[in-house]
Amino acid sequence: GTAGVAIAGLLGAVRAQGRPMIDFPKQKIVVAGAGSAGIGVVNAASRTMARMLGNNEVAFESARSQFWIVDAHGLITEERVDIDPDARPFARRKSELTHQGLNEGASLIEVVKKVKPDVILGLSAVGGLFSKEVLEALKDSSSSRPAIFAMSNPTKNAECTPEEAFSIIGEKVVFSSGSPFDDVDLGDGKIGHSNQGNNMYLFPGIGLGTLLSGARIVSDGMLQAAAER
């Protein structure tokens, strides 16, 4: 469910940038958190990208290359000792690192500065992880409307607040959180919207669809389809 609602939000962010949905596979996404939620979202989002690109081996490799995963020890690369098997497919290759000026264990700030991502996705359960320095670095995003997904719950675990995001990056940022936050008054009659990316928005439709169709199994593909709709 978390992966499904994250994909819905990521696709929404592409639309908010004024780009066609088919541009989703071009999004550069930095993910903070390599637990089951973080890897689950990356797996599902990469499958969505790959399907848009033709659903073959080349498509999956291209999709994989759009993600940079950072955990408590920094950027995950193929040089990581005892790498989690679930994270291994998304570990950055040595050849990519040289080109990007990054290395194993690079900090979140370093990664955001060098990658200039379209999206930073927080599933770390570390409150305040998207610090002033990280948000300042995101101002150099290659996107006209960078997106921040502070998905960790409860509120105290959110990687940043909408106030922090809008005050540092400005009104162009797209903000979503797992916990509810109030919208932000930006002055001059402008509102910074705090979108809530919580899986409670996905499950009622999944439940109703399952009942109406009589499906005996809720597959990954069904969650994927719900997210895309």
Side-chain angles (χ1 to χ4, degrees):
T2 300
V5 84
I7 291 169
L10 290 166
L11 293 170
V14 176
R15 191 170 56 196
Q17 292 162 2
R19 298 165 69 176
M21 209 66 84
I22 199 68
D23 273 4
F24 178 51
K26 297 177 184 174
Q27 295 272 290
K28 293 180 293 184
I29 302 173
V30 170
V31 181
S36 59
I39 297 299
V41 168
V42 172
N43 265 318
S46 65
R47 282 199 299 271
T48 301
M49 286 182 174
R51 198 159 72 252
M52 289 178 169
L53 293 169
N55 229 10
N56 52 37
E57 201 171 317
V58 175
F60 277 99
E61 180 59 25
S62 177
R64 176 208 66 78
S65 70
Q66 296 304 112
F67 296 88
W68 288 257
I69 302 178
V70 180
D71 67 2
H73 304 292
L75 178 65
I76 297 177
T77 75
E78 62 184 3
E79 296 177 324
R80 175 72 61 95
V81 179
D82 296 329
I83 190 168
D84 184 325
D86 292 332
R88 187 181 297 282
F90 301 98
R92 300 306 296 191
R93 311 284 195 262
K94 198 171 181 179
S95 55
E96 298 168 336
L97 295 176
T98 310
H99 169 65
Q100 292 162 354
L102 291 167
N103 50 35
E104 163 61 37
S107 70
L108 179 61
I109 296 170
E110 282 181 85
V111 174
V112 173
K113 278 182 176 174
K114 294 281 172 63
V115 173
K116 304 184 190 310
D118 299 281
V119 179
I120 56 173
L121 184 60
L123 287 153
S124 65
V126 179
L129 182 66
F130 294 165
S131 62
K132 182 176 184 286
E133 292 77 14
V134 171
L135 296 175
E136 288 280 2
L138 190 62
K139 286 165 81 172
D140 292 328
S141 165
S142 52
S143 171
S144 59
R145 296 199 70 189
I148 296 171
F149 287 74
M151 301 283 279
S152 294
N153 291 313
T155 309
K156 66 182 175 66
N157 287 350
E159 284 77 9
C160 72
T161 66
E163 287 90 348
E164 290 163 344
F166 285 106
S167 66
I168 293 171
I169 299 175
E171 64 183 66
K172 292 290 188 185
V173 72
V174 176
F175 182 86
S176 179
S177 59
S179 295
F181 284 98
D182 291 333
D183 288 342
V184 180
D185 185 350
L186 303 175
D188 296 329
K190 294 178 179 175
I191 300 293
H193 293 286
S194 176
N195 304 287
Q196 195 182 352
N198 191 297
N199 54 26
M200 69 177 184
Y201 293 113
L202 193 77
F203 286 136
I206 290 279
L208 180 61
T210 304
L211 286 169
L212 292 175
S213 65
R216 300 173 73 89
I217 292 169
V218 178
S219 67
D220 284 353
M222 287 161 70
L223 287 162
Q224 195 100 5
E228 289 176 24
R229 292 312 303 155

